[in-house]
Amino acid sequence: MSKTRITAVDVGNDCVKALFGKVDYELYIPNVIARDTEDRPVIGIEELNDKDPLDGIHVRVHSPALKDNNAIYRVGNLATKSDNPSELDPGSTKSEEDQTLVMLFTTLALDAVREENSSIFKKINNVIDANYTLGTGLPLREVKEGKDVGYRSQLLGSVHQVEFLVTPKYQGLKVNIKFDEVKVYPEGFAAFINLVMDKDLKIINRDLIDKQILIQDIGGLSTDIAVIKNRNVDDDKAQGFNLGVSESLEAIREEIRKKHGVELDSRRDVVDIITRKNDRHHIMVKGSRTNVHDITDRILLELAKKQYRHLRNVWQKNSQTEICYFVGGGAIVLKDYIKMLNNSLDGYNIEFFEDENESIWMMANAYYKLVSDFVRKTSEPPKKNEKQTV
């Protein structure tokens, strides 16, 4: 029987971030897919196997949870170079999109096929049977609507298969994925856990733990504002909004195309232009370094104003709040604009993570802490004269 492997997966709008085992492996894959045919052209199989599998993910995905079953996709870096890349659209529901599941299953399959896991998962011929205990999350709005229940149930109780087609090193391998347990956490609560506890769930920020705080998580498609009171999310006060950065990134991409004739491959290219250390807000146009500040500033400032309005409205309804933490990939994109607005307007006590990597990986780290604690509690025998708690 296969052993179960702990994994924490954050299927973000921009990228999937995943941690495995005892954090012995991590994956970071652009959340982009593109429908494809079974035989994608390559120059030669010898050359193919010299390449990084993450640059050539080409899979067929079978699962009863999928609306479009047995479809073939390019995934991640390979999909961004396709003529028909698909990124999640504003207004879409993460828990109900095939793309969320395709990215989740492919990410797990990429871990399962690694040689390092041959002692964990059973392999017969070219088929690997992989069991996982999964910690993941959904936007607060979807959890409040009860969509986490359906999402969890479609993962449990079924076998989900990923077949690697023309993928470096893994061509011809199939991975059957089963979940021993799935824990779905609200994203706002997960962010709080990450702020106050270390990987062993020991409190590291005692000053913060009993404060009333807000956590504004700005994603690609949505924004969650969690209200933390008495170490818990106040479900009645917490709010989710269909407002992320994706639409603005798409608008920037389109305006750059119209004004400068430059076709950027995906929203990720726009994020890179906005956030990179050197030549920020610049692109190359016919070999010349060109400033696009006029486009990026106008569109992102407009979005920052909407985000700030949400902050103000929630803070007014929770007047005893002491601090608001901005987290998520969208917060990195909007950080300078929100700070500027706050300095000139209300002057709330707000905080951003200067370590962008910490902000990007915050949800995956939180899911890992939570699911690891769940596994530890359920696997430890109850102490004498003590009932086991769930």
Side-chain angles (χ1 to χ4, degrees):
M1 180 178 170
S2 292
K3 300 174 187 173
T4 194
R5 182 158 159 84
I6 291 177
T7 181
V9 184
D10 172 22
V11 184
N13 176 67
D14 181 54
C15 278
V16 175
K17 285 78 66 177
L19 299 167
F20 296 92
K22 297 187 184 303
V23 198
D24 51 70
Y25 187 57
E26 63 181 45
L27 278 171
Y28 181 92
I29 303 170
N31 188 354
V32 185
I33 63 175
R35 290 295 296 268
D36 203 8
T37 56
E38 188 159 352
D39 296 315
R40 71 178 182 91
V42 289
I43 294 172
I45 202 69
E46 295 84 3
E47 184 177 321
L48 174 74
N49 285 330
D50 288 336
K51 294 178 181 175
D52 186 341
L54 296 185
D55 290 330
I57 305 169
H58 183 235
V59 292
R60 177 188 280 112
V61 186
H62 168 80
S63 166
L66 293 169
K67 300 181 191 79
D68 197 357
N69 203 354
N70 283 320
I72 295 169
Y73 298 97
R74 296 181 180 213
V75 176
N77 295 330
L78 189 65
T80 62
K81 300 166 188 169
S82 172
D83 293 333
N84 59 329
S86 171
E87 298 173 274
L88 290 174
D89 294 321
S92 63
T93 301
K94 186 188 285 190
S95 59
E96 296 175 350
E97 293 289 332
D98 269 8
Q99 182 158 340
T100 304
L101 296 174
V102 168
M103 293 303 304
L104 172 64
F105 299 148
T106 302
T107 300
L108 298 183
L110 285 163
D111 172 68
V113 294
R114 296 168 62 237
E115 189 63 38
E116 291 87 339
N117 290 330
S118 59
S119 62
I120 302 174
F121 300 135
K122 184 174 67 177
K123 180 180 178 184
I124 298 175
N125 297 324
N126 284 330
V127 181
I128 298 163
D129 290 325
N131 286 47
Y132 285 96
T133 296
L134 171 67
T136 189
L138 290 174
L140 206 55
R141 173 180 54 86
E142 293 186 42
V143 174
K144 286 180 80 170
E145 292 170 0
K147 295 186 186 299
D148 56 319
V149 178
Y151 185 64
R152 178 176 179 271
S153 66
Q154 67 182 351
L155 294 177
L156 284 168
S158 296
V159 177
H160 317 277
Q161 186 183 83
V162 176
E163 178 184 359
F164 289 99
L165 301 174
V166 191
T167 302
K169 297 182 175 63
Y170 303 143
Q171 184 169 18
L173 294 178
K174 294 179 182 179
V175 181
N176 291 330
I177 297 165
K178 288 181 76 173
F179 294 100
D180 293 310
E181 183 55 271
V182 175
K183 304 295 284 183
V184 182
Y185 303 104
E187 290 176 350
F189 177 65
F192 172 66
I193 289 293
N194 210 58
L195 282 170
V196 300
M197 296 179 179
D198 66 11
K199 62 183 174 59
D200 299 315
L201 291 194
K202 291 187 172 66
I203 295 170
I204 54 173
N205 199 336
R206 198 161 288 281
D207 289 342
L208 192 62
I209 196 159
D210 289 319
K211 287 183 178 179
Q212 181 171 316
I213 66 174
L214 303 180
I215 297 174
Q216 188 154 337
D217 176 18
I218 306 175
L221 303 177
S222 62
T223 295
D224 286 338
I225 305 183
V227 181
I228 311 293
K229 291 181 184 177
N230 302 320
R231 309 186 185 195
N232 288 298
V233 174
D234 186 327
D235 290 332
D236 295 326
K237 298 289 185 69
Q239 292 193 47
F241 307 95
N242 282 325
L243 178 71
V245 295
S246 292
E247 211 162 349
S248 296
L249 296 175
E250 205 60 60
I252 292 169
R253 186 176 163 202
E254 178 62 17
E255 202 156 321
I256 286 174
R257 186 186 66 79
K258 284 181 179 174
K259 184 172 181 179
H260 298 288
V262 172
E263 191 77 58
L264 300 172
D265 286 340
S266 68
R267 297 171 200 153
R268 286 180 52 75
D269 292 336
V270 181
V271 172
D272 179 57
I273 290 163
I274 296 163
T275 60
R276 63 190 174 205
K277 297 290 182 279
N278 299 316
D279 289 337
R280 191 174 287 190
H281 299 278
H282 284 78
I283 62 171
M284 298 304 293
V285 179
K286 298 177 182 176
S288 297
R289 187 170 162 272
T290 303
N291 193 322
V292 291
H293 245 298
D294 58 328
I295 298 173
T296 54
D297 277 354
R298 174 171 46 79
I299 293 172
L300 292 178
L301 181 58
E302 192 58 39
L303 177 59
K305 287 177 181 176
K306 293 176 183 176
Q307 290 286 352
Y308 195 77
R309 201 173 300 130
H310 285 316
L311 169 69
R312 178 186 281 159
N313 291 339
V314 175
W315 203 305
Q316 283 176 348
K317 292 171 185 173
N318 299 275
S319 61
Q320 297 309 295
T321 295
E322 295 187 51
I323 189 169
C324 176
Y325 284 90
F326 282 87
V327 302
I332 296 167
V333 170
L334 295 175
K335 178 171 70 174
D336 293 341
Y337 302 96
I338 291 173
K339 281 184 174 180
M340 181 182 69
L341 287 170
N342 192 50
N343 289 338
S344 62
L345 295 171
D346 300 288
Y348 291 116
N349 185 17
I350 63 175
E351 189 74 54
F352 289 80
F353 289 90
E354 298 307 321
D355 182 347
E356 293 181 0
N357 201 48
E358 183 180 357
S359 190
I360 289 168
W361 281 88
M362 175 170 282
M363 291 303 171
N365 283 326
Y367 301 151
Y368 182 82
K369 292 172 186 178
L370 288 163
V371 75
S372 298
D373 187 56
F374 164 78
V375 169
R376 181 180 59 78
K377 284 178 176 174
T378 52
S379 59
E380 282 179 357
K383 292 178 183 174
K384 195 173 181 182
N385 299 325
E386 183 181 305
K387 289 183 180 177
Q388 191 168 5
T389 58
V390 177

